[in-house]
Amino acid sequence: QEALCQSEIAGSSVFEMWVSCTWLCVSCSGAVAGHWSDRWKRRKPFVITAGVLMAIGSGGFLTWVREFGPGVAVACVVGIGFGLYVTVDFALLLDVLPDKMSRGNDMAVWHQSIVLPQFLAVPIAGVVVDHLQAVGCKYALGYVVLFVITGVYFLLSGVFVSLVRKTR
């Protein structure tokens, strides 16, 4: 039986394990990426790679996750990508801020640009998944749509970072 279609209790346990694997990989890849990004004095390749990895992971949840093991592998790919992104994107931000004296204010605005979309996305995603899952768990249409949208956003993040001119 598909991992996403299991009973609520079993599905919850599977999801918790996937999230645990994701965050373990976030922590490890973030520490490594931060070190190498500083050493090579390059940010864009890391952030672009992160966007691609997270998009691949989103696609992986659609195509490969029918059992627990592949789900863990895909969760790790997403975690590695997210660790790269979070760590190096923050460093990229510090590189491009124009005025060292107003960095705190600029970072507060940047932080709000991250939090507000997340605040809005969660309830919208819940409605999308709930309504589209009515088609049937066999097809997991709600999750298919959700992960396609997520993958597109991840790819777009890499594209937009490549347009930043002030850093390498």
Side-chain angles (χ1 to χ4, degrees):
Q1 189 172 11
E2 296 178 7
L4 295 175
C5 293
Q6 293 178 356
S7 71
E8 187 175 323
I9 294 172
S12 175
S13 297
V14 167
F15 180 74
E16 289 168 1
M17 183 58 80
W18 289 348
V19 169
S20 297
C21 292
T22 300
W23 285 109
L24 177 65
C25 290
V26 166
S27 300
C28 295
S29 68
V32 171
H35 170 77
W36 286 106
S37 172
D38 287 345
R39 185 172 181 152
W40 291 337
K41 302 205 184 318
R42 304 214 25 136
R43 311 284 189 226
K44 286 183 185 180
F46 288 95
V47 177
I48 292 168
T49 300
V52 170
L53 283 173
M54 291 185 295
I56 289 169
S58 293
F61 275 118
L62 295 176
T63 56
W64 303 314
V65 177
R66 298 293 177 231
E67 294 177 10
F68 178 75
V72 169
V74 170
C76 288
V77 169
V78 171
I80 291 168
F82 192 62
L84 290 172
Y85 187 83
V86 170
T87 304
V88 181
D89 190 48
F90 190 76
L92 182 124
L93 169 71
L94 293 174
D95 289 347
V96 300
L97 287 177
D99 181 17
K100 291 184 180 187
M101 296 306 291
S102 66
R103 280 188 174 176
N105 291 336
D106 294 338
M107 290 173 66
V109 171
W110 174 70
H111 180 69
Q112 290 305 313
S113 75
I114 294 169
V115 172
L116 182 61
Q118 291 176 352
F119 177 76
L120 297 173
V122 171
I124 292 169
V127 170
V128 167
V129 169
D130 285 347
H131 285 292
L132 294 177
Q133 283 300 96
V135 171
C137 192
K138 178 180 177 186
Y139 303 109
L141 184 59
Y143 290 101
V144 169
V145 170
L146 185 66
F147 284 116
V148 166
I149 291 169
T150 303
V152 169
Y153 284 152
F154 288 145
L155 287 175
L156 286 174
S157 72
V159 169
F160 291 134
V161 164
S162 71
L163 301 175
V164 176
R165 293 190 182 127
K166 194 173 176 181
T167 190
R168 297 176 358 142

